[in-house]
Amino acid sequence: MLRYTLMRLGILAGCLVVVWGLVYSGIAPRGLGASNGLWIIMLALVISAPISFVVLRKERDRASVQIVQRVDRMKANLDANRSQEDVPDDTARAQGQTS
């Protein structure tokens, strides 16, 4: 997951540099007044989102498989712990009821 996040941030940084260059060269429009920095960031976010969606598809699928495996393993461990806790309790209750 860290690898995917770093790759996504890299794409965002690349888009930020490209948008900054386009705005200051006059190809892309500038923001109004003091909002030029915010305009550049927002435009870079809008451009980087679909690029990340397409380019990082395999990495995103790989990360999701790892997350699903980790969640399944944690669920199995929780179920195993629940059954271990119930056995001594059930035994004690059974002995208490027969006396």
Side-chain angles (χ1 to χ4, degrees), residues 38-83:
L38 184 60
W39 166 253
I40 292 172
I41 291 171
M42 294 301 293
L43 194 56
L45 282 170
V46 168
I47 293 171
S48 70
I51 293 172
S52 295
F53 184 74
V54 172
V55 172
L56 299 179
R57 178 170 292 163
K58 288 182 183 178
E59 190 62 37
R60 188 175 54 249
D61 290 343
R62 194 175 306 135
S64 69
V65 166
Q66 290 176 351
I67 290 171
V68 167
Q69 288 173 348
R70 188 175 299 152
V71 168
D72 289 343
R73 190 174 58 241
M74 290 175 69
K75 284 181 180 179
N77 287 341
L78 283 173
D79 289 341
N81 287 340
R82 283 188 192 126
S83 66

